[in-house]
Structures are given as C-alpha cells and as structure tokens.
Amino acid sequence: MDEEKRNIKLLPRKTSVTLETCGRAEPDLSTRDVLALPAARDAKPFCSVSSNQRVTELFEIIEKLQGSRIDEQRCVFPPPLKTQLLKIGGEVPLVLPPKLGGYWLDPPLDKLVDMSPCTSPQHGLDPACYDILERDSDAKIYREFFGSLYHHTFIAVDASLGPLVLSVCLEGEAQRIRVILRMMECSLHGVFSLTLFHNVPSAVELAKRLCENVTVTRFEAVSYLKAPELIIAFDEHRVSSNFKFGILLQKEGQFTEEDILSNTEETQEFQEFLSILGETVQLQGFTGFRGGLDVSHGQTGDDAVVTSFQGRHIMFHVATKLPFTEGDPQQLQRKRHIGNDIVALVYQEGKTPFISDIISSHFLHCFLVVRKIRGEQDQRASGGYQVCVTARDDVPPFGPVLPDPPIFTDSSLLRQFLLTKLINAEITCYKAERFSRLELRTRSSLLEGLQNELSARSQCMLGDPSSMTLPSCDGLRGVSEGSGGFIENFKRAIRVRSHSFDTLCVPKKIGGIVSHRPKTAYAEKDDESEKNPDSTVPVVENSESADLENQQCSHEES
C-alpha cells in the first residue's frame, strides 16, 4: 500500500527537457507539454541551418585535421631567426645547427669568416691534396694476387662465426703462403713464410693463424670451375664507380622543406653553378649511369646533370629538373630520389641559412652548402663561392680540408673540391651507425649465399646425383655490376637470403626424381626490377624509411 502511494506521488513530477537548435536554447518543457506538441509529420525541424551548410562545415573540419598532419612533418624555423637572422662577422652563416643538435658544422659556427679573399691568404687550396677515399682498400686483393696464380678455396660453417670462405695461394718464388679468410663481420688477409711450418699447413691451421676464434675442425674443398667469379663478386660488392647526389636550390626567405622542394624556375646564376659541376644531358635514350632516373618514358623529367671525375660516374638529382606535382606540398616525386641520396648539395640564392635537419630523411647524412659571394660595390660581380659542410654526429670528419677562409674564386678548383668532397662524404657516411648495421646485414647475407652456392656447385662437379642440374643463381653474381650502389646491393642480398637453399643451389629430390621449383612471380618481379631499378627504389618517407631500417631484424622486407 505504501509503495502505491509513493508511485502516485511521483506521477505529477515534471521532467525538464532542453532542446538546442544551433546555439539557441528552447524553454524548459514538461513531459505533458512535449506529448501535446503536433505530430512529427506536421512539425518543422528545430535546426534552421541547411544540410548543405552542415556538409560544408564537416569538410572544413576534415581539411583542418589533414592540415595538422602535414604541419607535424614540417621543420619549423626558429621564430626569433625569422625576424632577425643571426650574424657572425658581419655576414649571415650558410648553415645553422638544429635546435636539438645532432650535427657538426665545418667551419664551426663560432668561427669568424673573413669575406675578403683577395686580401687574405688562403690555405688548403692545393688540388694535389684532393685525394678520393677508397671504399674498401682490401676488396681487390683476391683479383690482384690470386687471379693469375694457382690457388685453392675452402668453405666451412663455424658454430660461432657462421659461414667461412678461405682462399690459399702458394707464392713459390717468395716461399710464402698468402691467405684470405672471409667472415660475416670482415675479411682477414695475411702472408706467412713457409719456414713457420714443419709441413704444408692445413686449411684449419691457416684459418686459426688469422683468427683465433675459429672452431671448425674441417674445411670442404671447392672444386667449382667458376668459383673465382663468385668470389670476386663478393669481395668487390662494396666497390662502385657510380655515385648519385641530390642538388637543392634554396632561395631567399625559404625556411621549410616544402619551400625548397617547390622551386621550379632555374635562374641564370643557378644554371652557371650547375655547369661547373657537370653537363646537362637529355634523359631520353641516355646510356650512361642513370642513378635511378627514367631514360625511356620521361617519368623523372626531361634532362639531368651528369659528369665523370677520376674514373667515377656521377648523376645529380637536381630538384628543379625533377617532376613538380601541383597540390603536393611534400613533392614526393622529387623527394623519392633526393631523399634516397646519402649526400646532397644545397645552393643558396640569398642569405637565408640552411638548417641541417630541414630535409627529413633517413638516408641523407651530409650536406654541402654553397653560396655565391657578391661584390661590395657591384652586387652582380662575383667575389667567389663560399662553402660549408654539415653532417650528422656519427659521420666522421673527411677530406679534403676546407680552405681558410672557405672561399673559392677559381671555378675549376671549386669543381675539383666539391666533387672530391661529395664522393668522400658518401664513402664516410657508410661508417655511420645506421649504414654500418645495414652493411653488416648485407655482407652476412651475401656470404651465406656464396658459401651455399660454392658447396652445391662443388657437389655437382663431383657427380652428386642430387645436384646434377642446378638452377642458375645470378643474385650474387649481379653484385659485381656495382650500378646500384649500397641500396641496390642491400636489396640483392635480401633476395639471395630470402630464397631457400633448395631454390638457390640444391633441388629437392622426391621419390628418386629431381624436382625443380618453377620460377615464381616473385622471382620474375626481381628480374624485372634488375632491369628497371626505378620500380624498386624506396621512398624515404616516414613508414617506408622505418621499414628499411627494420630490415636489420627482418630480411624479408625489401
């Protein structure tokens, strides 16, 4: 009875209902008032804003969200420097270090630069000191000392060191033995006098002479007739006479990556500088080293700048000559090539400093910045070119040394310096932590493939019925071409390692019948990519760059 009374008391209680229409609040209505309203089919909508306006507002919100994503990837120039640029010695520096550091500058920022080259003595301008570094000074030892002499090669798999490939050569006239031991981390080379041994030493004894950590007790002799070709391909996989560098144009007041990559017009000053570096050629039908550019369909522009220097072939990825995409602030068609270069050259028209990390890339580790010096009285007159170098902290210093002051008045001398500095910069950048890890992974994969193929081919030569017919293995052999540089070698190594041992060397034997796995679509794609490297060049943007770095843990990502 008490419960029924309680329910009766609750019935007349009103419930407040607030209806909002575009910022205007309706007065409170009771439940009965709401029920007394006209039927829904006769009622007019509470919102007076049209549906078209709502759609427009929705798209505005989406655009703001997408715009914030791009803004997150921008390199913001320090606000104080936008209004008042830092000046040292009365001149604006070519390069400024990033706010968080991580880069070194040469010459240092705190060093005053005298801008009067005509009255100041210059040091370090001797072209005889412009020596090009060797990528791998020991890479051609096998070709030089073993190629023309009778020698033996042995292979084994060490429990701790992994695959081992040992080459032994007897130099009869000198009464000594020359030995090369190839391991995953490095190759060791040594020469031993025969007087050190009572008898002819074994392969195990010679290997332990070079490396005490060798634990194998037996090596397998290689009897494959074309083994020297495969060994040379492995030893010289780091040696390449081809280089590619990016060239960026930075104009006055350009503080962001988007501004620099969006330049489309080439001034006469910039064209004169390009003519110092090399010659402009038509890409259509170009037969030289193309550096990943399209020479058949014009997808990477119409022309490019190329040159040859001391036996090296150089392709420049000039940003203004690469395709420009309307509506793409990041200009991925341009960054696809320049972002995959390891070293880039920045030419400044104006006095806006270049920030070392303004170009976001996992590959770019070094920048050479050049600015033309104007005459004091006649701004059109040239007082020479000023040069500055900046690189990441884990890149060691490299030559040639910048002159003091770092100013060049002779164009031919500037060309010699810049080309030598660019080549040495790329070779030195491979010592950086990121690249050294990738190189170790590349070498390990190639050595494993070499040891597997030498073993299988030797068994075939000895008449092993399970190895009478072997599929061709061109993955390692292609390394000697050297046309793709470090990145292409890395991708080749991944392909070699990803293939199973059966496909690479030894076919499966099922029920006494030798079975060969047919060529898969993936293998066909690899062959096509060798002919057209453009299709496999990774884009150095966010996730794809991170994926390439993660290949150290997952070799199947290529």
Side-chain angles (χ1 to χ4, degrees):
M1 192 67 177
D2 295 338
E3 185 176 354
E4 291 179 359
K5 291 180 179 180
R6 187 163 52 250
N7 292 338
I8 293 173
K9 292 180 180 180
L10 290 176
L11 284 177
R13 182 175 298 176
K14 298 182 180 180
T15 304
S16 297
V17 178
T18 303
L19 301 178
E20 297 182 3
T21 58
C22 300
R24 180 171 56 88
E26 294 290 337
D28 290 348
L29 301 176
S30 64
T31 305
R32 295 177 181 177
D33 295 333
V34 173
L35 295 177
L37 290 175
R41 51 187 170 85
D42 299 329
K44 296 182 179 181
F46 288 99
C47 184
S48 61
V49 181
S50 64
S51 59
N52 292 335
Q53 185 175 351
R54 291 183 176 180
V55 172
T56 303
E57 293 177 353
L58 176 61
F59 278 105
E60 289 179 356
I61 295 175
I62 294 176
E63 288 180 0
K64 290 181 180 180
L65 292 176
Q66 292 178 341
S68 62
R69 286 184 177 180
I70 298 178
D71 292 337
E72 291 175 357
Q73 302 175 10
R74 298 180 188 273
C75 175
V76 181
F77 200 86
L81 298 179
K82 284 186 178 181
T83 56
Q84 184 178 2
L85 294 175
L86 177 64
K87 293 187 177 182
I88 296 180
E91 290 293 331
V92 179
L94 275 69
V95 182
L96 289 177
K99 183 178 180 181
L100 299 179
Y103 286 78
W104 54 263
L105 272 64
D106 184 24
L109 190 62
D110 57 353
K111 183 177 181 180
L112 300 181
V113 177
D114 188 358
M115 304 303 295
S116 304
C118 297
T119 58
S120 301
Q122 291 182 284
H123 306 281
L125 284 176
D126 185 8
C129 302
Y130 296 173
D131 297 327
I132 296 180
L133 300 175
E134 288 292 335
R135 181 81 168 85
D136 188 348
S137 58
D138 298 332
K140 296 186 177 181
I141 290 180
Y142 180 82
R143 181 192 292 271
E144 181 179 353
F145 293 100
F146 290 75
S148 59
L149 297 178
Y150 181 75
H151 64 278
H152 285 283
T153 298
F154 306 90
I155 56 176
V157 178
D158 192 277
S160 57
L161 300 178
L164 302 177
V165 178
L166 179 74
S167 296
V168 180
C169 176
L170 176 62
E171 299 177 350
E173 297 180 359
Q175 292 295 307
R176 60 186 184 183
I177 297 178
R178 189 179 297 272
V179 185
I180 298 179
L181 178 62
R182 302 168 186 85
M183 302 180 293
M184 284 182 143
E185 293 186 356
C186 63
S187 294
L188 300 178
H189 169 244
V191 179
F192 304 100
S193 174
L194 288 176
T195 58
L196 297 176
F197 310 96
H198 297 289
N199 298 314
V200 178
S202 64
V204 175
E205 186 177 356
L206 291 173
K208 290 185 177 181
R209 284 268 183 175
L210 289 176
C211 180
E212 298 178 353
N213 297 328
V214 174
T215 60
V216 295
T217 58
R218 182 178 180 276
F219 275 84
E220 174 187 346
V222 175
S223 56
Y224 181 44
L225 296 179
K226 293 187 177 181
E229 297 180 10
L230 299 179
I231 295 174
I232 289 176
F234 172 80
D235 285 350
E236 300 179 8
H237 76 271
R238 301 177 64 197
V239 178
S240 176
S241 60
N242 301 322
F243 295 86
K244 55 188 182 73
F245 305 109
I247 297 184
L248 298 168
L249 174 61
Q250 183 184 16
K251 296 185 178 182
E252 183 70 37
Q254 292 185 339
F255 302 102
T256 64
E257 172 185 313
E258 290 86 350
D259 293 338
I260 295 175
L261 291 177
S262 296
N263 289 322
T264 56
E265 297 182 359
E266 296 180 356
T267 61
Q268 183 179 356
E269 176 185 333
F270 184 57
Q271 292 176 352
E272 290 176 357
F273 175 73
L274 293 180
S275 65
I276 296 176
L277 296 177
E279 60 175 334
T280 301
V281 298
Q282 293 292 324
L283 284 176
Q284 186 72 28
F286 181 67
T287 57
F289 172 63
R290 56 194 180 93
L293 299 182
D294 180 22
V295 297
S296 300
H297 308 289
Q299 296 181 356
T300 56
D302 298 327
D303 50 15
V305 178
V306 300
T307 190
S308 296
F309 181 69
Q310 297 189 15
R312 278 81 171 176
H313 306 287
I314 301 175
M315 169 63 75
F316 291 102
H317 294 153
V318 185
T320 54
K321 296 183 181 298
L322 293 172
F324 175 81
T325 306
E326 292 286 350
D328 182 10
Q330 292 185 333
Q331 294 301 320
L332 294 181
Q333 287 296 325
R334 292 179 170 183
K335 196 171 181 182
R336 172 194 179 194
H337 298 282
I338 297 178
N340 278 293
D341 296 330
I342 298 175
V343 183
L345 192 151
V346 181
Y347 186 77
Q348 294 181 344
E349 289 185 352
K351 295 186 177 181
T352 301
F354 179 83
I355 302 181
S356 302
D357 65 346
I358 196 173
I359 307 296
S360 59
S361 169
H362 289 271
F363 284 93
L364 284 171
H365 275 55
C366 179
F367 295 93
L368 273 65
V369 184
V370 181
R371 179 190 297 170
K372 193 172 185 178
I373 302 174
R374 306 294 180 184
E376 296 182 1
Q377 298 179 354
D378 186 0
Q379 290 296 320
R380 294 175 297 177
S382 174
Y385 293 90
Q386 184 181 357
V387 181
C388 182
V389 181
T390 180
R392 302 194 185 190
D393 283 342
D394 56 352
V395 177
F398 53 90
V401 179
L402 275 172
D404 186 16
I407 299 172
F408 296 83
T409 56
D410 186 353
S411 298
S412 61
L413 191 60
L414 174 66
R415 166 185 162 82
Q416 284 185 274
F417 177 85
L418 289 180
L419 294 182
T420 305
K421 195 75 170 178
L422 287 169
I423 294 173
N424 289 348
E426 178 170 324
I427 293 175
T428 307
C429 284
Y430 291 135
K431 299 179 182 179
E433 181 180 0
R434 183 186 304 274
F435 293 129
S436 61
R437 291 199 305 263
L438 291 178
E439 278 203 316
L440 179 60
R441 177 69 65 180
T442 302
R443 178 183 174 88
S444 302
S445 300
L446 293 177
L447 182 62
E448 183 180 353
L450 174 65
Q451 189 271 336
N452 287 339
E453 185 170 4
L454 290 177
S455 176
R457 300 288 177 179
S458 298
Q459 294 297 322
C460 180
M461 288 290 296
L462 296 176
D464 187 348
S466 63
S467 306
M468 292 303 295
T469 55
L470 294 173
S472 61
C473 185
D474 298 328
L476 183 64
R477 216 173 274 113
V479 175
S480 62
E481 298 173 3
S483 60
F486 168 69
I487 302 302
E488 288 302 318
N489 286 338
F490 179 79
K491 290 189 290 184
R492 290 191 189 104
I494 297 304
R495 285 196 294 271
V496 170
R497 188 170 182 177
S498 63
H499 288 176
S500 65
F501 180 77
D502 300 340
T503 304
L504 184 64
C505 300
V506 182
K508 293 182 179 180
K509 185 176 180 181
I510 304 175
I513 301 176
V514 178
S515 172
H516 296 283
R517 190 172 70 178
K519 194 172 186 180
T520 62
Y522 178 77
E524 292 175 357
K525 184 177 180 181
D526 289 342
D527 294 340
E528 183 181 354
S529 65
E530 288 297 321
K531 299 177 183 178
N532 183 18
D534 292 342
S535 61
T536 59
V537 175
V539 178
V540 186
E541 275 300 317
N542 302 330
S543 61
E544 293 196 28
S545 303
D547 290 342
L548 183 59
E549 183 182 8
N550 292 336
Q551 284 170 347
Q552 301 165 70
C553 302
S554 176
H555 60 264
E556 296 157 355
E557 297 276 345
S558 65

